[in-house]
Amino acid sequence: MPETHTSAAEKILAVLDALAASAHAEPAGLTVAELGRAIEREKSVVSRQLKPLVELGLVERDPAGRHRLGWRLFSVAAQAGDQRLLMLAPPVMRKLARGLDERVHLSVRRDSSVLTVLTEGSGHAVQTVNWVGRLSPISCTSSGRALLFDHRAEELEGMFAAGVEPGAGPQAPATAAELIERVAAARERGYAIAVDEFEDGLAGVGAPVRDANGRIIAAINVSGPRYRLHDRLEDAGRHVSQATAYLSRAFAAPPPASASTDRIPVIPPPLQPGSHQQGHQPGAPQPAPSV
Amino acid sequence: MPETHTSAAEKILAVLDALAASAHAEPAGLTVAELGRAIEREKSVVSRQLKPLVELGLVERDPAGRHRLGWRLFSVAAQAGDQRLLMLAPPVMRKLARGLDERVHLSVRRDSSVLTVLTEGSGHAVQTVNWVGRLSPISCTSSGRALLFDHRAEELEGMFAAGVEPGAGPQAPATAAELIERVAAARERGYAIAVDEFEDGLAGVGAPVRDANGRIIAAINVSGPRYRLHDRLEDAGRHVSQATAYLSRAFAAPPPASASTDRIPVIPPPLQPGSHQQGHQPGAPQPAPSV
DNA sequence: GACTGACGTTGCAAAAATCGCAACGTCGAA
DNA sequence: TTCGACGTTGCGATTTTTGCAACGTCAGTC
């Protein structure tokens, strides 16, 4: 029997997620009733659930009765390591999603899969689903191949031999040679393209985000139905590359700050093409970024 | 009877807080047993509590069994408004706290009080307590007066008349005139000093952080026992001012990013003394930052 | 001005999740 | 091998959360 364990954490996260989603809406924030509809719970439940959250500062309620994420959430998040990328990415992704009007995802590598971490949707009725928190195969997605940019042929071969998850689309790479070739083409081009690979009819374009050392730490991709994207893959690729280049610079920029010097930190100039592998062993085993 | 309602949110936040605190420890992260000791719960409870948190991605567990804050927390936090300051501040505060070896707090205004949002402690056995999440009076603390830098005399007078919370120390301002004078002195000096105001024996030095428009959005202060600080108030003030000046620049810097231009955003040069009020009405009612 | 509908909150008994304790298997150090 | 600490799991007892219903409030409408 399906023991539907519903943990408290899950309930709370549902609330926080709904509030996060409402942060850019108009008007920002949710009332008790709205929140109840959003997470499909009784308003009485929401009302009671909100009380401790507000007391703890995880949620803020304005005089008009609208609820937003509270300062306490950030005071927790801020203490943790290098999560700057996740803070910098949303506005860039938003701009990209609006510009191309297709869903944008930010993903990181997780072992031999791709974990989607942030998203921004489009206005279409038909669009890629929100993939946040889910894993995708690394060999047949644009994000995946963007994350594989720096991998040598032998590594890709080994990975393929170890059995990466295959795609369900007709164009998914069937052999290690195909994967190697497509990764090489993507690196050459500056962005990865995957059409009818993960799923028939789905098209995507992705590019990698690099840290100050040139290591790939994440990928951003745009995806949507093939019939809308296939005529503008190049255009989308250019935009995605610009976005990731911007993020790579911005992420590398703020040195943890020496408060006592007057040096003004500056976001460094764009990486030279081909120069990003300096001081970086593409073959070195890359621990999955914990981001 | 004291109905000790212990909400799920509270339990979860305790876990996340402990993990946040461990983020900069050596080694980073906590095992189940360590976490149990930190939050004073049975390890069996912790073990079970952790399971859904890990599944949801709020917590990550590395192969060695150490737990850290997970990507999901940031993917929620990142969606919300302008929280960049809270992400930028911790390293600066850490540096400040280490350098002066006294506790550092970052606070924002909350109506007629000061809400402390982040902190970084010192190595001393005797030090200011961690004040995060608590309110302090605005008229008799260094953070409070830093937040009042831009207020005109009439406003301060009105505020005083409306009855701001008084300090418990012998030197707390007893009249509106005293408050006005001390705020003016602080603005002149560049940082606020409060000794024996909030509490007898407690000394603090604070300065304001400004956004791109010069509006005060937060304050950073250093505080500790008077006997350790009274000989170096000036030095501490200089350090705090430098830190807030840096943060003001850094906070103003990253324009939400136009991904499609090649303009490289640069952190702007330091504000000219006295120039920060351009285009800013000091008298305009300032909504409490929701940060 | 009464009426209507939506909002947010609260009592209450039922349902569900968590807790503390004890026990188990595992691992590394002595 | 023994020992201690770790992380996990079963179990009944305890605590918390849930759904429903009712209440007071408020704004807009007739």
Side-chain angles (χ1 to χ4, degrees), chain A residues 17 24 71-72 78-79 86 291, chain B residues 17 24 72 78-79 86 291:
Chain A
D17 261 339
H24 297 287
W71 62 272
R72 191 65 132 85
Q79 294 297 347
L86 296 199
V291 74
Chain B
D17 261 339
H24 298 286
R72 191 68 131 84
Q79 294 297 347
L86 296 199
V291 72

Side-chain angles (χ1 to χ4, degrees), chain B residues 162-227:
Chain B
V164 296
E165 205 185 327
Q171 300 301 325
T175 65
E178 280 188 319
L179 174 59
I180 292 168
E181 182 195 313
R182 291 184 200 183
V183 168
R187 188 189 311 133
E188 188 80 19
R189 200 192 287 124
Y191 52 92
I193 297 178
V195 179
D196 296 340
E197 296 195 25
F198 180 53
E199 177 182 299
D200 195 16
L202 174 66
V205 177
V209 180
R210 297 172 185 278
D211 69 11
N213 299 318
R215 281 171 74 103
I216 293 176
I217 53 173
I220 284 188
N221 82 321
V222 174
S223 69
R226 180 187 56 205
Y227 63 80

Side-chain angles (χ1 to χ4, degrees), chain B residues 2-262:
Chain B
E3 284 256 344
T4 81
H5 234 16
T6 320
S7 70
E10 208 163 340
K11 298 174 199 161
I12 290 173
L13 188 57
V15 171
L16 297 182
D17 261 339
L19 293 179
S22 81
H24 298 286
E26 203 58 55
L30 296 173
T31 64
V32 171
E34 288 166 345
L35 187 48
R37 285 187 288 270
I39 64 177
E40 292 176 290
R41 297 218 103 62
E42 286 248 341
K43 56 183 178 160
S44 70
V45 174
V46 174
S47 173
R48 276 189 276 233
Q49 223 165 23
L50 241 24
K51 191 162 46 170
L53 292 177
V54 169
E55 270 165 20
L56 291 168
L58 285 171
V59 170
E60 275 180 25
R61 127 182 267 162
D62 69 18
R66 304 198 87 84
H67 302 261
R68 287 175 245 280
L69 297 180
W71 61 270
R72 191 68 131 84
L73 183 65
F74 306 98
S75 99
V76 173
Q79 294 297 347
D82 249 339
Q83 308 300 348
R84 270 175 302 145
L85 178 59
L86 296 199
M87 306 313 281
L88 291 165
V92 176
M93 293 170 63
R94 206 150 26 242
K95 168 125 192 181
L96 206 49
R98 300 264 195 287
L100 298 167
D101 204 18
E102 291 295 351
R103 184 176 291 278
V104 172
H105 279 125
L106 180 139
S107 317
V108 299
R109 182 155 172 197
R110 175 77 131 233
D111 305 320
S112 284
S113 295
V114 177
L115 172 66
T116 299
V117 169
L118 290 175
T119 195
E120 184 70 34
S122 75
H124 290 292
V126 174
Q127 61 175 307
T128 313
V129 300
N130 177 334
W131 210 258
V132 166
R134 296 209 253 174
L135 295 173
S136 324
I138 199 167
S139 66
C140 61
T141 56
S142 57
S143 311
R145 288 213 290 269
L147 291 169
L148 293 177
F149 258 42
D150 288 348
H151 281 55
R152 290 179 311 217
E154 308 89 74
E155 295 175 285
L156 296 176
E157 197 139 14
M159 177 181 297
F160 206 91
V164 296
E165 205 185 327
Q171 300 301 325
T175 65
E178 280 188 319
L179 174 59
I180 292 168
E181 182 195 313
R182 291 184 200 183
V183 168
R187 188 189 311 133
E188 188 80 19
R189 200 192 287 124
Y191 52 92
I193 297 178
V195 179
D196 296 340
E197 296 195 25
F198 180 53
E199 177 182 299
D200 195 16
L202 174 66
V205 177
V209 180
R210 297 172 185 278
D211 69 11
N213 299 318
R215 281 171 74 103
I216 293 176
I217 53 173
I220 284 188
N221 82 321
V222 174
S223 69
R226 180 187 56 205
Y227 63 80
R228 279 207 305 261
L229 269 176
H230 72 330
D231 279 344
R232 49 193 188 121
L233 288 172
E234 195 185 331
D235 182 50
R238 211 169 39 241
H239 280 85
V240 172
S241 304
Q242 284 173 341
T244 56
Y246 169 83
L247 277 178
S248 299
R249 291 198 302 274
F251 178 73
S258 88
S260 56
T261 73
D262 271 331

